[in-house]
Amino acid sequence: MTKKELALEIIERLKKEYPDAGCTLDYDEAWKLLVSVRLAAQCTDARVNVVVEKLYEKYPDVDALAEASVEEIEAIVKPCGLGHSKAKDISACMKILKEQYGGKVPATFEELLKLPGVGRKSANLIMGDVFGKPAIVTDTHCIRLTNRMGLVEDCKEPKKVEMALWKIIPPNEGSDFCHRLVYHGRDVCTARTKPHCDKCCLNDICGKKGV
């Protein structure tokens, strides 16, 4: 089985296992996903979802958050860790959205990458979830699982994993595939315990790399 054939089989099996998989960060507007994905660095999505409720209660739109000081933002987002760095990026980002984009999130990958605190992973998430464009989000689950499955080999660098996956994952499947990897990585192919291979839908085709 080629890597492309393996990828297609994994995609189909994960679709059946997690038919409704989607982004685990709560948001109802594009700018809120931009904020949440910055806060999610080295923090759980569950915690981010709790913290942002307080943030949006006080600053309900881009303009309000752009006017807030870094210290005011930091006081609220501190529970997510790296509070000052994240608050600084969020503040700068909202100011750019307000001043350059009329409060909207830019719709191109290149423009997103220019925003403070936005890297390839975040830009891909937004392109896929907000704009419905082809995207591959190389978060920790994606990197760990694709190595174990044999879709990539001994590759831990996010951009290299992303580039390798672009070659074998159909563009229209990438975004949902990565969301399903998050669900599978949390429930079955876990990081902190031994993977639950006995209840994995991919058991017979997985390369079990890195186990």
Side-chain angles (χ1 to χ4, degrees), residues 152-179:
V152 298
E153 292 174 7
D154 300 319
C155 184
K156 302 296 168 66
E157 190 181 315
K159 187 176 180 180
K160 285 184 179 177
V161 172
E162 181 192 334
M163 293 303 122
L165 292 178
W166 277 120
K167 295 175 183 176
I168 58 174
I169 304 292
N172 62 317
E173 297 284 2
S175 182
D176 287 342
F177 172 64
C178 292
H179 285 320

Side-chain angles (χ1 to χ4, degrees), residues 25-39 52-66 68 73 89-91 93-98 101-106 112 115 118 126 130-131:
L25 290 167
D26 295 337
Y27 70 97
D28 55 9
E29 293 179 75
W31 68 271
K32 291 182 178 179
L33 181 57
L34 197 56
V35 170
S36 288
V37 76
R38 180 65 188 97
L39 293 176
V52 292
E53 283 186 23
K54 298 173 185 174
L55 187 67
Y56 302 148
E57 193 176 301
K58 191 167 184 181
Y59 307 108
D61 53 40
V62 170
D63 287 359
L65 198 49
I73 298 171
D89 284 341
I90 289 168
S91 175
C93 200
M94 293 303 111
K95 283 179 167 64
I96 291 172
L97 294 192
K98 178 185 177 184
Y101 295 102
K104 304 292 184 185
V105 173
L112 286 168
L115 296 175
V118 177
I126 291 162
V130 173
F131 299 112

